[in-house]
């Protein structure tokens, strides 16, 4: 069994990651949240929400947006790590990160 994470930037720019369960074994959603928190801070992402809270979905979308398609294309190791963290924290078999529409689908 595997998890598929698709990161779409619109206009035919899409990255597809297939992550085997063995790649996620022994890792926790909490570790994934911490990794996402660090990346969010490192990229100096800004998200405005009415409540002032930044949800994990906001972090994922912002990290992808601020990193840009170029980073996903040029830094495969980082992009694979991003996909693994998203798979861990969301725990779904199919995850579509639509950066252009700023949505996540399952």
């Amino acid at each position: 069994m595997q998890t598929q994470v698709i990161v779409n930037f619109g206009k035919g720019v899409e990255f597809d990651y297939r992550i085997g369960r063995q790649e996620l074994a022994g890792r926790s959603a909490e570790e994934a949240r911490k990794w996402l928190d660090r990346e969010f801070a490192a990229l100096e992402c800004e998200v405005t929400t009415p409540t002032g809270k930044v949800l994990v979905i906001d972090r994922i979308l912002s990290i992808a947006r601020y990193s840009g398609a170029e980073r996903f294309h040029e830094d495969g190791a980082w992009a694979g790590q991003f996909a693994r963290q998203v798979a861990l924290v969301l725990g779904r078999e199919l995850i579509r990160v639509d950066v252009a529409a700023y949505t996540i689908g399952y």
Side-chain angles (χ1 to χ4, degrees), residues 29-52:
E30 185 57 32
E31 289 176 80
R33 275 189 191 84
K34 288 178 183 177
W35 187 91
L36 292 167
D37 288 346
R38 285 191 304 272
E39 289 299 309
F40 187 85
L43 291 166
E44 299 179 359
C45 297
E46 292 183 26
V47 177
T48 305
T49 62
T51 62

mmCIF file of all heavy atoms in Angstrom, residues 29-52:
data_model
loop_
_atom_site.group_PDB
_atom_site.id
_atom_site.type_symbol
_atom_site.label_atom_id
_atom_site.label_comp_id
_atom_site.label_asym_id
_atom_site.label_seq_id
_atom_site.Cartn_x
_atom_site.Cartn_y
_atom_site.Cartn_z
ATOM 1 N N ALA A 29 3.059 11.735 13.162
ATOM 2 C CA ALA A 29 2.432 12.959 12.677
ATOM 3 C C ALA A 29 2.987 14.168 13.427
ATOM 4 O O ALA A 29 3.117 15.250 12.855
ATOM 5 C CB ALA A 29 0.916 12.877 12.834
ATOM 6 N N GLU A 30 3.343 13.985 14.688
ATOM 7 C CA GLU A 30 3.912 15.088 15.472
ATOM 8 C C GLU A 30 5.260 15.526 14.902
ATOM 9 O O GLU A 30 5.544 16.717 14.801
ATOM 10 C CB GLU A 30 4.048 14.691 16.941
ATOM 11 C CG GLU A 30 4.527 15.822 17.830
ATOM 12 C CD GLU A 30 3.645 17.064 17.787
ATOM 13 O OE1 GLU A 30 2.428 16.959 17.607
ATOM 14 O OE2 GLU A 30 4.206 18.178 17.915
ATOM 15 N N GLU A 31 6.093 14.561 14.521
ATOM 16 C CA GLU A 31 7.373 14.899 13.873
ATOM 17 C C GLU A 31 7.124 15.665 12.580
ATOM 18 O O GLU A 31 7.849 16.617 12.264
ATOM 19 C CB GLU A 31 8.163 13.627 13.554
ATOM 20 C CG GLU A 31 8.728 12.909 14.737
ATOM 21 C CD GLU A 31 9.404 11.610 14.300
ATOM 22 O OE1 GLU A 31 10.552 11.688 13.824
ATOM 23 O OE2 GLU A 31 8.763 10.565 14.424
ATOM 24 N N ALA A 32 6.119 15.233 11.824
ATOM 25 C CA ALA A 32 5.784 15.897 10.565
ATOM 26 C C ALA A 32 5.331 17.334 10.819
ATOM 27 O O ALA A 32 5.727 18.253 10.102
ATOM 28 C CB ALA A 32 4.700 15.117 9.829
ATOM 29 N N ARG A 33 4.516 17.535 11.842
ATOM 30 C CA ARG A 33 4.072 18.894 12.185
ATOM 31 C C ARG A 33 5.250 19.793 12.524
ATOM 32 O O ARG A 33 5.294 20.955 12.113
ATOM 33 C CB ARG A 33 3.111 18.852 13.373
ATOM 34 C CG ARG A 33 1.707 18.599 13.002
ATOM 35 C CD ARG A 33 0.763 18.788 14.181
ATOM 36 N NE ARG A 33 -0.541 18.286 13.832
ATOM 37 C CZ ARG A 33 -0.909 17.009 13.924
ATOM 38 N NH1 ARG A 33 -0.075 16.112 14.389
ATOM 39 N NH2 ARG A 33 -2.121 16.644 13.560
ATOM 40 N N LYS A 34 6.213 19.254 13.264
ATOM 41 C CA LYS A 34 7.399 20.034 13.631
ATOM 42 C C LYS A 34 8.199 20.408 12.389
ATOM 43 O O LYS A 34 8.700 21.530 12.272
ATOM 44 C CB LYS A 34 8.257 19.272 14.628
ATOM 45 C CG LYS A 34 7.627 19.198 16.003
ATOM 46 C CD LYS A 34 8.482 18.398 16.967
ATOM 47 C CE LYS A 34 7.795 18.286 18.325
ATOM 48 N NZ LYS A 34 8.553 17.453 19.253
ATOM 49 N N TRP A 35 8.358 19.470 11.461
ATOM 50 C CA TRP A 35 9.077 19.757 10.218
ATOM 51 C C TRP A 35 8.353 20.857 9.446
ATOM 52 O O TRP A 35 8.981 21.805 8.965
ATOM 53 C CB TRP A 35 9.191 18.494 9.368
ATOM 54 C CG TRP A 35 10.064 18.661 8.161
ATOM 55 C CD1 TRP A 35 11.399 18.428 8.083
ATOM 56 C CD2 TRP A 35 9.654 19.103 6.852
ATOM 57 N NE1 TRP A 35 11.847 18.703 6.806
ATOM 58 C CE2 TRP A 35 10.811 19.117 6.035
ATOM 59 C CE3 TRP A 35 8.449 19.489 6.295
ATOM 60 C CZ2 TRP A 35 10.768 19.493 4.697
ATOM 61 C CZ3 TRP A 35 8.404 19.874 4.963
ATOM 62 C CH2 TRP A 35 9.564 19.871 4.175
ATOM 63 N N LEU A 36 7.031 20.738 9.334
ATOM 64 C CA LEU A 36 6.246 21.758 8.635
ATOM 65 C C LEU A 36 6.353 23.108 9.323
ATOM 66 O O LEU A 36 6.474 24.139 8.665
ATOM 67 C CB LEU A 36 4.786 21.316 8.514
ATOM 68 C CG LEU A 36 4.538 20.121 7.596
ATOM 69 C CD1 LEU A 36 3.128 19.582 7.802
ATOM 70 C CD2 LEU A 36 4.787 20.467 6.145
ATOM 71 N N ASP A 37 6.332 23.116 10.645
ATOM 72 C CA ASP A 37 6.494 24.366 11.404
ATOM 73 C C ASP A 37 7.828 25.032 11.091
ATOM 74 O O ASP A 37 7.901 26.243 10.882
ATOM 75 C CB ASP A 37 6.401 24.121 12.910
ATOM 76 C CG ASP A 37 4.996 23.797 13.382
ATOM 77 O OD1 ASP A 37 4.038 24.012 12.609
ATOM 78 O OD2 ASP A 37 4.865 23.316 14.532
ATOM 79 N N ARG A 38 8.903 24.225 11.059
ATOM 80 C CA ARG A 38 10.238 24.775 10.769
ATOM 81 C C ARG A 38 10.306 25.353 9.363
ATOM 82 O O ARG A 38 10.843 26.442 9.149
ATOM 83 C CB ARG A 38 11.313 23.706 10.955
ATOM 84 C CG ARG A 38 11.632 23.383 12.393
ATOM 85 C CD ARG A 38 12.870 22.521 12.538
ATOM 86 N NE ARG A 38 12.822 21.274 11.787
ATOM 87 C CZ ARG A 38 12.303 20.127 12.246
ATOM 88 N NH1 ARG A 38 11.793 20.062 13.455
ATOM 89 N NH2 ARG A 38 12.321 19.044 11.503
ATOM 90 N N GLU A 39 9.758 24.633 8.390
ATOM 91 C CA GLU A 39 9.772 25.118 7.007
ATOM 92 C C GLU A 39 8.929 26.382 6.871
ATOM 93 O O GLU A 39 9.325 27.324 6.187
ATOM 94 C CB GLU A 39 9.264 24.040 6.048
ATOM 95 C CG GLU A 39 10.218 22.895 5.867
ATOM 96 C CD GLU A 39 11.552 23.316 5.283
ATOM 97 O OE1 GLU A 39 11.567 24.014 4.243
ATOM 98 O OE2 GLU A 39 12.588 22.960 5.867
ATOM 99 N N PHE A 40 7.784 26.407 7.511
ATOM 100 C CA PHE A 40 6.898 27.567 7.486
ATOM 101 C C PHE A 40 7.636 28.803 8.003
ATOM 102 O O PHE A 40 7.580 29.875 7.396
ATOM 103 C CB PHE A 40 5.659 27.259 8.343
ATOM 104 C CG PHE A 40 4.586 28.295 8.283
ATOM 105 C CD1 PHE A 40 3.642 28.290 7.269
ATOM 106 C CD2 PHE A 40 4.483 29.264 9.271
ATOM 107 C CE1 PHE A 40 2.627 29.245 7.224
ATOM 108 C CE2 PHE A 40 3.482 30.217 9.235
ATOM 109 C CZ PHE A 40 2.549 30.202 8.208
ATOM 110 N N ALA A 41 8.347 28.637 9.112
ATOM 111 C CA ALA A 41 9.109 29.747 9.696
ATOM 112 C C ALA A 41 10.304 30.126 8.818
ATOM 113 O O ALA A 41 10.561 31.309 8.593
ATOM 114 C CB ALA A 41 9.583 29.376 11.099
ATOM 115 N N ALA A 42 11.015 29.142 8.304
ATOM 116 C CA ALA A 42 12.199 29.404 7.481
ATOM 117 C C ALA A 42 11.837 30.175 6.207
ATOM 118 O O ALA A 42 12.602 31.026 5.757
ATOM 119 C CB ALA A 42 12.896 28.092 7.124
ATOM 120 N N LEU A 43 10.681 29.867 5.650
ATOM 121 C CA LEU A 43 10.235 30.547 4.426
ATOM 122 C C LEU A 43 9.545 31.883 4.719
ATOM 123 O O LEU A 43 9.161 32.598 3.799
ATOM 124 C CB LEU A 43 9.280 29.641 3.641
ATOM 125 C CG LEU A 43 9.913 28.407 3.009
ATOM 126 C CD1 LEU A 43 8.839 27.419 2.563
ATOM 127 C CD2 LEU A 43 10.802 28.801 1.840
ATOM 128 N N GLU A 44 9.382 32.176 6.008
ATOM 129 C CA GLU A 44 8.713 33.402 6.439
ATOM 130 C C GLU A 44 7.327 33.536 5.807
ATOM 131 O O GLU A 44 6.933 34.593 5.304
ATOM 132 C CB GLU A 44 9.581 34.621 6.153
ATOM 133 C CG GLU A 44 10.912 34.581 6.886
ATOM 134 C CD GLU A 44 11.812 35.769 6.608
ATOM 135 O OE1 GLU A 44 11.444 36.656 5.811
ATOM 136 O OE2 GLU A 44 12.900 35.801 7.194
ATOM 137 N N CYS A 45 6.586 32.435 5.854
ATOM 138 C CA CYS A 45 5.236 32.412 5.300
ATOM 139 C C CYS A 45 4.308 33.281 6.133
ATOM 140 O O CYS A 45 4.444 33.370 7.354
ATOM 141 C CB CYS A 45 4.691 30.980 5.299
ATOM 142 S SG CYS A 45 5.618 29.830 4.268
ATOM 143 N N GLU A 46 3.370 33.908 5.465
ATOM 144 C CA GLU A 46 2.360 34.718 6.131
ATOM 145 C C GLU A 46 0.989 34.244 5.690
ATOM 146 O O GLU A 46 0.720 34.124 4.500
ATOM 147 C CB GLU A 46 2.535 36.192 5.776
ATOM 148 C CG GLU A 46 3.800 36.795 6.346
ATOM 149 C CD GLU A 46 3.919 38.273 6.035
ATOM 150 O OE1 GLU A 46 2.873 38.926 5.833
ATOM 151 O OE2 GLU A 46 5.050 38.757 5.987
ATOM 152 N N VAL A 47 0.147 33.958 6.663
ATOM 153 C CA VAL A 47 -1.219 33.539 6.388
ATOM 154 C C VAL A 47 -2.132 34.376 7.263
ATOM 155 O O VAL A 47 -1.947 34.458 8.468
ATOM 156 C CB VAL A 47 -1.428 32.037 6.711
ATOM 157 C CG1 VAL A 47 -2.876 31.646 6.495
ATOM 158 C CG2 VAL A 47 -0.506 31.171 5.878
ATOM 159 N N THR A 48 -3.088 35.004 6.645
ATOM 160 C CA THR A 48 -4.046 35.802 7.398
ATOM 161 C C THR A 48 -5.331 35.005 7.536
ATOM 162 O O THR A 48 -5.927 34.614 6.540
ATOM 163 C CB THR A 48 -4.337 37.126 6.671
ATOM 164 O OG1 THR A 48 -3.095 37.788 6.453
ATOM 165 C CG2 THR A 48 -5.243 38.005 7.483
ATOM 166 N N THR A 49 -5.709 34.739 8.780
ATOM 167 C CA THR A 49 -6.964 34.045 9.038
ATOM 168 C C THR A 49 -7.797 34.876 9.998
ATOM 169 O O THR A 49 -7.247 35.587 10.839
ATOM 170 C CB THR A 49 -6.721 32.651 9.650
ATOM 171 O OG1 THR A 49 -6.070 32.808 10.908
ATOM 172 C CG2 THR A 49 -5.872 31.775 8.742
ATOM 173 N N PRO A 50 -9.107 34.778 9.900
ATOM 174 C CA PRO A 50 -9.968 35.563 10.782
ATOM 175 C C PRO A 50 -9.749 35.256 12.271
ATOM 176 O O PRO A 50 -9.879 36.129 13.109
ATOM 177 C CB PRO A 50 -11.389 35.178 10.354
ATOM 178 C CG PRO A 50 -11.249 34.534 9.040
ATOM 179 C CD PRO A 50 -9.857 34.009 8.935
ATOM 180 N N THR A 51 -9.389 34.002 12.574
ATOM 181 C CA THR A 51 -9.209 33.612 13.970
ATOM 182 C C THR A 51 -7.796 33.850 14.469
ATOM 183 O O THR A 51 -7.547 33.803 15.661
ATOM 184 C CB THR A 51 -9.532 32.124 14.159
ATOM 185 O OG1 THR A 51 -8.610 31.353 13.376
ATOM 186 C CG2 THR A 51 -10.953 31.805 13.771
ATOM 187 N N GLY A 52 -6.881 34.076 13.538
ATOM 188 C CA GLY A 52 -5.488 34.255 13.928
ATOM 189 C C GLY A 52 -4.736 32.944 14.058
ATOM 190 O O GLY A 52 -3.540 32.930 14.285
#
